[in-house]
Amino acid sequence: MQTSFQRSLLLGGLALFCLLSLILAPQALHRVYAQGYTDQTTQGKRIVVSISQQELTAYEGDKEVFDTLVTTGRSQLPTPTGTFHVIQKLSPTWFHSPWPKNSKYYYPPTYINYALAFKDGGFFLHDATWRSSFGPGTTDDNQGSHGCVSMNLESAKWLYDWAPVGTTVQIE
């Protein structure tokens, strides 16, 4: 009888440990990604996004190595400005709307091929295969993103392959 009780207690503790691991581990890992990166580990790579030009430019040191048109956030859900770092890379992944189905901002589960998180809260550089155009004029309140920086599939793949976790992301 005592063995059965001990076994139940052990299994219950193990189940609790697994549950807590599922809840807490992603948060802990997410924060670790953003720490300890320098120009040496990212090879001086940086990504600059111009909201006014709707353009993303990639640099190695001072040398421009890539350029593409993007679509950034609509006026009610703007892309944050400032200096960030790639904190996580996902390929492939699904985005799920944080807004309820009755919200004007809701979107159905969306498949993304290449996503680079640059800020907690769901801010990514990613492909947007549902869009046919990017660049100036694509951020009105019907077309703009929900705060992310979106681009065509080929550009997102190039950026995903080129930028390691820790790469500086400047959004201005």
Side-chain angles (χ1 to χ4, degrees), residues 17-132:
F17 174 77
C18 289
L19 180 61
L20 287 173
S21 295
L22 289 173
I23 294 169
L24 299 176
Q27 293 298 324
L29 290 174
H30 190 67
R31 288 186 176 86
V32 170
Y33 285 175
Q35 297 174 2
Y37 291 93
T38 66
D39 272 353
Q40 289 180 335
T41 58
T42 62
Q43 302 161 9
K45 295 179 177 183
R46 105 187 121 91
I47 299 164
V48 177
V49 176
S50 169
I51 291 176
S52 65
Q53 299 296 312
Q54 293 297 290
E55 182 176 34
L56 178 149
T57 307
Y59 295 90
E60 289 183 23
D62 292 330
K63 181 182 176 192
E64 181 181 318
V65 295
F66 185 76
D67 185 69
T68 190
L69 294 175
V70 297
T71 296
T72 59
R74 57 187 75 189
S75 61
Q76 298 93 349
L77 300 169
T79 301
T81 57
T83 301
F84 308 95
H85 294 89
V86 174
I87 55 177
Q88 187 178 33
K89 293 171 64 170
L90 303 168
S91 177
T93 192
W94 285 87
F95 285 178
H96 297 274
S97 180
W99 296 278
K101 284 187 178 182
N102 62 348
S103 169
K104 67 180 181 176
Y105 302 122
Y106 173 81
Y107 57 87
T110 305
Y111 181 83
I112 303 295
N113 295 281
Y114 304 100
L116 295 90
F118 65 88
K119 184 177 187 301
D120 286 335
F123 294 96
F124 290 86
L125 306 164
H126 67 82
D127 62 277
T129 56
W130 58 92
R131 293 185 185 278
S132 59

